[in-house]
Amino acid sequence: MKMTEQASEFFKKEMEENNYDTIRFYNLAGCCHPTLTAEFEPAEPGDKIEIVEGIQIAIEQAVVDDLKDITIGIDQSKDEVELILDGYIIPEACNCEEHEH
């Protein structure tokens, strides 16, 4: 796992201003497959901890292999900052919104 300088500077500033100490990557249940999620939140038991560019990152075991070769970046060209995970393979959509639940 790598991180761009721009992302590193952004996360360090956000973490300092808001008293966060960890970025956590984990899966949330989805209709077809889990959805990768990233938030400023503490590590949970069993998470793999990595320090990337001086930033503590907690990774749920279920996504460790999916994230090992990514580069974390950000896009600040819009109204909101967008997380970019270069190298992450997004699972194919299943059109579950068309099915009745």
Side-chain angles (χ1 to χ4, degrees):
M1 180 179 287
K2 298 175 186 169
M3 185 178 298
T4 65
E5 185 176 329
Q6 181 184 21
S8 173
E9 289 172 8
F10 172 80
F11 288 127
K12 286 177 182 176
K13 181 180 176 193
E14 282 293 307
M15 294 171 84
E16 183 177 322
E17 288 177 1
N18 295 290
N19 202 29
Y20 300 129
D21 65 356
T22 304
I23 299 171
R24 184 169 188 262
F25 287 91
Y26 61 98
N27 273 334
L28 280 179
C31 62
C32 300
H33 47 72
T35 302
L36 181 64
T37 305
E39 294 189 68
F40 293 109
E41 66 177 44
E44 293 194 4
D47 285 352
K48 179 181 180 185
I49 305 297
E50 289 193 23
I51 306 298
V52 180
E53 299 297 326
I55 297 170
Q56 179 168 288
I57 299 177
I59 308 166
E60 180 182 50
Q61 286 297 322
V63 296
V64 167
D65 287 342
D66 297 338
L67 301 179
K68 67 182 176 183
D69 294 323
I70 66 159
T71 298
I72 301 169
I74 57 169
D75 180 356
Q76 293 181 294
S77 64
K78 302 172 186 157
D79 291 337
E80 293 183 6
V81 175
E82 182 179 331
L83 181 66
I84 306 293
L85 300 177
D86 189 29
Y88 176 69
I89 299 171
I90 300 170
E92 289 188 35
C94 67
N95 299 318
C96 60
E97 63 274 359
E98 295 176 8
H99 301 159
E100 289 185 35
H101 294 282

